[in-house]
């Protein structure tokens, strides 16, 4: 055992002009003591060789076999099937939304191409420049 008592380090004390002390740490209300755990008594109620190791690890005996709880199994299966159905519904909805978006994009691009490549005069002919030559002669002269 330690024969020397614990002495706490002295805190640095500063004094202000009117004589009030300023401590670096709050002042202790009681002196600090060393922690010495209480020795625990050695309990050996049963010698180790007296315990049968197989009795410790045997599974607990089940009560009697109960009834088959088929309503619970049907309910659990229904919940699982319903959850799978909801998941598939969300998947198909996402695929339909993506297909709709791609279809609308293709329609807009087709409309732009159609407006760009048709002639402005209507009629649906092959647009573009037309070569025209006109010869006018006056025969009354």
């Amino acid at each position: 055992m330690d024969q020397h008592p614990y002495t706490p380090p002295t805190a640095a004390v500063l004094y202000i002009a009117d004589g009030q002390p300023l401590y670096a740490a709050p002042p202790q209300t009681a002196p600090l003591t060393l922690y010495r755990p209480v020795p625990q008594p050695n309990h050996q109620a049963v010698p180790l060789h007296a315990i049968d190791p197989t009795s410790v690890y045997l599974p607990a005996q089940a009560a009697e076999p109960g009834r088959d709880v088929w309503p619970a199994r049907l309910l659990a299966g229904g919940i699982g099937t319903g959850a799978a159905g909801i998941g598939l519904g969300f998947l198909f909805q996402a695929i339909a939304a993506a297909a709709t978006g791609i279809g609308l994009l293709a329609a807009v691009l087709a409309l732009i191409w159609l407006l760009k490549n048709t002639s402005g005069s209507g009629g649906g002919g092959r647009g573009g420049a037309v070569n025209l030559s006109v010869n006018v002669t006056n025969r009354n002269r």
Side-chain angles (χ1 to χ4, degrees), residues 48 68 103 105 107 115 125 133:
L48 294 178
D68 183 21
L105 180 65
L115 289 174
S133 67

Coordinates of all heavy atoms in Angstrom, one line a residue, residues 48 68 103 105 107 115 125 133:
L48 N -16.3 -26.4 -9.4 CA -16.5 -26.5 -10.9 C -16.7 -27.9 -11.4 O -17.3 -28.1 -12.4 CB -15.3 -25.8 -11.6 CG -15.2 -24.3 -11.4 CD1 -13.9 -23.8 -12.1 CD2 -16.4 -23.6 -11.9
D68 N -51.6 -26.3 -36.1 CA -51.0 -25.6 -37.3 C -51.7 -24.3 -37.4 O -52.9 -24.2 -37.5 CB -51.1 -26.4 -38.5 CG -50.5 -25.8 -39.7 OD1 -49.6 -24.9 -39.5 OD2 -50.8 -26.1 -40.9
G103 N -41.5 8.8 -75.9 CA -42.4 9.0 -77.0 C -42.7 10.4 -77.3 O -42.7 10.9 -78.4
L105 N -40.7 13.0 -76.5 CA -39.5 13.6 -77.1 C -39.4 13.2 -78.6 O -39.0 14.1 -79.4 CB -38.3 13.1 -76.3 CG -37.0 13.6 -76.8 CD1 -36.9 15.1 -76.5 CD2 -35.8 12.9 -76.0
A107 N -41.8 12.6 -80.7 CA -42.8 13.3 -81.4 C -42.4 14.8 -81.6 O -42.6 15.3 -82.7 CB -44.2 13.3 -80.6
L115 N -41.3 20.4 -89.8 CA -41.4 21.8 -90.1 C -40.2 22.4 -90.8 O -40.3 23.3 -91.6 CB -41.6 22.6 -88.8 CG -43.0 22.4 -88.1 CD1 -43.0 23.1 -86.8 CD2 -44.1 22.9 -89.0
G125 N -45.5 19.7 -102.2 CA -44.5 19.3 -103.2 C -43.1 19.2 -102.7 O -42.9 19.2 -101.5
S133 N -38.2 29.5 -116.9 CA -37.8 30.4 -118.0 C -39.0 30.7 -118.8 O -39.8 29.9 -119.1 CB -36.7 29.8 -118.9 OG -37.3 28.7 -119.6

